[in-house]
Amino acid sequence: METKPQKNDQLEKVRKMVGNIRIAMMTTVDEEGHLQSRPMAVLQMDEDGTLWFFTQKTSPKVDQIEQHDKQVNIAFADVSDADYVSISGTAEELHDQAKIDELWNPQAKAWFPNGKDDPNLTLLKVHTRMAEYWDSNDSTMVRLFQQASAALTGTTPKMGENEKVYN
């Protein structure tokens, strides 16, 4: 995923954390009011904290976004580094051929066999409203020691930094 330096300095930490995570879970609300998550390849986080995705115009998530005030959640996890990010925002479906051309990559052809001119190809643009992250700066061994120590002492382990960021 491409990430660009953020205009909002508070989102810079989020950008650095999600920059190496290509697949995120996008959550919408389905027709029955249930939360529904699916893996999505993030194409870009632009300088405004906006996340960009390709999707099919006929995908149920496009209708779900429109029916539920455009509210979505995007969740990132890098388990090996114990880094986690949850982004709440609003999504919109749009067709912008210049942006499609900019973001097109060979992996997308698997979902859009007619290439960037596929009539079912559209963009999802997710504007970040709030992001919360959990960042463990310690190694796996240190984290395991902290967890074991906490279990023995009956305390809660200190597992790193947690912060909410508003955009």
Side-chain angles (χ1 to χ4, degrees):
M1 167 182 43
E2 175 193 10
T3 62
K4 296 184 178 181
Q6 298 298 292
K7 290 179 182 175
N8 176 341
D9 290 339
Q10 292 181 308
L11 282 177
E12 189 61 23
K13 171 82 174 192
V14 171
R15 178 188 76 85
K16 289 177 182 174
M17 290 179 71
V18 302
N20 293 325
I21 304 172
R22 181 163 156 63
I23 305 297
M25 295 295 288
M26 176 183 285
T27 303
T28 58
V29 180
D30 72 12
E31 299 74 28
E32 297 173 7
H34 300 116
L35 297 175
Q36 182 177 3
S37 299
R38 80 274 296 149
M40 297 282 294
V42 185
L43 301 168
Q44 182 184 76
M45 181 177 191
D46 71 18
E47 59 278 347
D48 293 319
T50 300
L51 301 169
W52 293 89
F53 303 86
F54 286 143
T55 195
Q56 296 183 5
K57 289 180 184 179
T58 57
S59 170
K61 74 180 140 305
V62 174
D63 290 334
Q64 292 168 0
I65 288 167
E66 286 303 316
Q67 292 173 5
H68 294 280
D69 298 324
K70 302 183 178 190
Q71 298 297 308
V72 297
N73 181 269
I74 312 296
F76 296 86
D78 182 348
V79 179
S80 63
D81 284 338
D83 287 343
Y84 307 93
V85 177
S86 174
I87 295 177
S88 299
T90 54
E92 65 177 301
E93 179 262 335
L94 68 134
H95 187 83
D96 177 338
Q97 193 61 49
K99 191 70 173 177
I100 290 171
D101 292 344
E102 174 191 340
L103 298 174
W104 185 257
N105 62 71
Q107 292 87 2
K109 193 155 176 85
W111 284 271
F112 303 99
N114 294 323
K116 51 187 169 176
D117 296 319
D118 191 308
N120 201 28
L121 172 62
T122 193
L123 292 162
L124 281 181
K125 177 182 179 180
V126 177
H127 177 71
T128 298
R129 297 283 183 213
M130 190 272 291
E132 184 171 11
Y133 64 83
W134 298 263
D135 178 16
S136 176
N137 296 319
D138 297 321
S139 69
T140 302
M141 291 302 292
V142 171
R143 290 192 311 266
L144 289 172
F145 176 77
Q146 289 169 334
Q147 290 171 359
S149 177
L152 289 172
T153 62
T155 61
T156 302
K158 300 212 181 325
M159 299 301 291
E161 184 180 356
N162 170 235
E163 185 174 343
K164 287 184 183 177
V165 176
Y166 295 90
N167 191 20

